[in-house]
Amino acid sequence: MSESEHGSGHGLRLFGKTIPLYVQILIALLLGVGLGILLGAGQPSPQAALIAKDLAIPCSLVLKALRALATPLILLAVLHSFLTTNIPGRAGRRLAVLLLTNTLAAILIGLLVANVLQPGKWERLTLPADAETVTKSFDPWGLLESSVPEAVLKPLVDNNVIQLIVLALAFGIVLRGLKNKQIAEGKTDYVAVEQFVTIFFEAVIRILMWVILLVPVAVFGIVAKTVTLQGFSPFKALGAFIIAVLLALFLQGCYYLVRVKLGSWITPKRFLTGGSDALLTAFSTASSTATMPVTFRGLLEKVGLRESSASLGALVGSNFNNDGTALYEAMSALFIGQVLGLNLNLEQQLVVILTSIFASVGAAGIPEAGLVTMTLVFTAVGLPTQYIALLITVDWFLDRCRTALNVMGDMTVSCLLDGKERKQELEPGLEEVLMPEVD
Ligand code: ASP
């Protein structure tokens, strides 16, 4: 998919100029604050309170649409990756282990920071009257038992992320096997299925883009409503959340540098200098998919990796590997739990870990995709998804930061796959062209 579709495709055109999405959101935020102050800033008149309630409608519509799109998006993203990417067997297993350990590290760092700093307790928020609270009791074995869906379409209907991933993996593995068999036999029936999945995947992403276009309106409404009814205290709470997320992302970045230093021939300095274009592109587009070509080129030409390692990490990793998103989703669940005074216990946090892994695998590498799959994490632990609305107001910024981390994670995996010694590529012709000395 083209860069404009993923990265900068959210511009609103005004007087011949494109206003990027984050500027629109910033403007919406300011206008929302202004209206909230006009309507009473925490002490609204009964009339203003009524208006404020209606202001939340665009936001709940956006959240509903995101929830509805989440399951097809995950299913199609996983099927698409299985059908269209080529991973050699041994490297594939190594890749899977690296991806899993890095994602687990990210989630654990996120949970650690959220448990230690407790950003949700810095400021108390009132629970909206219509929010359901956590009442389920959590049972990991029950979770395992319920990971197999009762009917094939049920996970899609129930928005059950764990069942959905089980289904997607089963179909993905089988379809890939059939494709390989058919290629060996010179048959081409699989092409139709591959095209079908690719087109539907693109279609869901395009609809998602429409929804994302509405995010500024949603932010305006929810900020105006929140300021009108509760004043500024919710935003103080969000300040604490931003600090906690940035700290966790920073620690995860340090973890990558240590892994690269210990597990590959690349020095952290070379890694950061060679990857700087990719990291900056990720921050400015908020899309790891749009950044993918830059990441790949940086790894090949500036860091100097073999083509096979660069492509496995950057191209495959950018589909599956979203550590920054996993960290963010886990922290958001804990944060909202703390804000509501519902501390998630150990088992609930285990559910958060498990669902965040799946949710990050399923998150597409496009702006705000983490918000889509976050609804599934919240549902799994029984947290009210209305609170994601609060996070939308700061997501334009945190999305950029976690996207940079997602890309850094892909780069790390590539470096680790390249190994401790700088080896020559199997096809030396390509190597000479693509691997000039850089230091
Ligand atoms: N924007 C992120 C990415 O492209 C996904 C997310 O929203 O977390 O990697």
Side-chain angles (χ1 to χ4, degrees), residues 53 75 95 122 131 196 206 253 283 292 395 409 416:
K53 286 215 169 104
L75 181 65
L95 178 70
W122 292 16
F196 176 86
R206 279 182 191 219
F283 186 81
M292 195 166 72
D395 203 61
L416 295 175

Side-chain angles (χ1 to χ4, degrees), residues 286-288 322 325 364-370 399 402-403 406:
S287 165
S288 45
N322 294 311
T325 306
I366 54 171
E368 315 280 343
D399 186 15
R402 66 178 185 258
T403 306
N406 286 345

Side-chain angles (χ1 to χ4, degrees), residues 120-427:
K121 293 207 173 142
W122 292 16
E123 197 75 33
R124 249 237 64 102
L125 287 184
T126 44
L127 191 69
D130 50 349
E132 350 116 30
T133 50
V134 185
T135 47
K136 297 183 202 168
S137 78
F138 292 88
D139 161 19
W141 293 117
L143 197 79
L144 184 69
E145 215 183 317
S146 63
S147 63
V148 177
E150 281 166 33
V152 173
L153 293 182
K154 211 155 181 270
L156 279 168
V157 178
D158 295 347
N159 276 351
N160 184 322
V161 68
I162 294 180
Q163 293 183 352
L164 188 79
I165 291 281
V166 171
L167 201 73
L169 286 178
F171 273 96
I173 291 168
V174 167
L175 285 174
R176 181 70 207 202
L178 286 174
K179 173 179 172 176
N180 291 347
K181 190 165 166 261
Q182 290 205 344
I183 291 177
E185 292 168 356
K187 293 186 187 156
T188 53
D189 299 350
Y190 72 90
V191 175
V193 177
E194 199 173 299
Q195 284 170 344
F196 176 86
V197 169
T198 305
I199 292 212
F200 265 88
F201 184 42
E202 288 232 19
V204 173
I205 289 193
R206 279 182 191 219
I207 300 174
L208 190 63
M209 293 302 178
W210 292 348
V211 180
I212 288 171
L213 283 179
L214 294 176
V215 165
V217 184
V219 167
F220 166 73
I222 198 72
V223 169
K225 177 199 161 184
T226 313
V227 174
T228 306
L229 298 181
Q230 297 179 47
F232 288 95
S233 60
F235 297 98
K236 282 193 215 144
L238 283 178
F241 178 62
I242 294 177
I243 292 172
V245 172
L246 291 182
L247 175 67
L249 290 175
F250 173 75
L251 291 177
Q252 177 70 6
C254 296
Y255 162 85
Y256 288 145
L257 292 181
V258 172
R259 286 217 67 178
V260 167
K261 180 158 175 47
L262 299 180
S264 76
W265 60 268
I266 298 111
T267 59
K269 187 174 161 232
R270 187 184 177 98
F271 177 85
L272 288 175
T273 332
S276 55
D277 283 350
L279 296 176
L280 286 174
T281 312
F283 186 81
S284 49
T285 59
S287 165
S288 45
T289 303
T291 311
M292 195 166 72
V294 186
T295 316
F296 184 55
R297 255 191 43 210
L299 287 172
L300 270 184
E301 295 175 4
K302 295 197 175 156
V303 182
L305 301 188
R306 281 174 290 141
E307 204 234 343
S308 53
S309 334
S311 66
L312 269 188
L315 309 185
V316 179
S318 79
N319 276 315
F320 280 121
N321 192 32
N322 294 311
D323 300 343
T325 306
L327 176 151
Y328 182 70
E329 306 215 343
M331 285 191 86
S332 306
L334 240 71
F335 169 71
I336 295 298
Q338 290 165 0
V339 161
L340 301 177
L342 312 159
N343 275 333
L344 302 186
N345 60 31
L346 200 65
E347 283 120 73
Q348 290 168 311
Q349 296 199 21
L350 276 178
V351 178
V352 169
I353 294 177
L354 210 64
T355 46
S356 299
I357 293 179
F358 292 143
S360 72
V361 169
I366 54 171
E368 315 280 343
L371 272 187
V372 183
T373 50
M374 189 188 292
T375 56
L376 303 177
V377 178
F378 273 48
T379 317
V381 281
L383 283 171
T385 47
Q386 295 97 307
Y387 269 87
I388 296 179
L390 254 190
L391 300 179
I392 286 188
T393 54
V394 287
D395 203 61
W396 64 274
F397 173 66
L398 292 179
D399 186 15
R400 284 157 194 276
C401 303
R402 66 178 185 258
T403 306
L405 246 280
N406 286 345
V407 169
M408 196 171 173
D410 299 338
M411 288 167 45
T412 305
V413 169
S414 291
C415 292
L416 295 175
L417 286 174
D418 215 62
K420 288 200 175 173
E421 272 169 48
R422 191 172 186 180
K423 290 187 218 98
Q424 288 297 303
E425 187 68 78
L426 291 175
E427 301 102 322

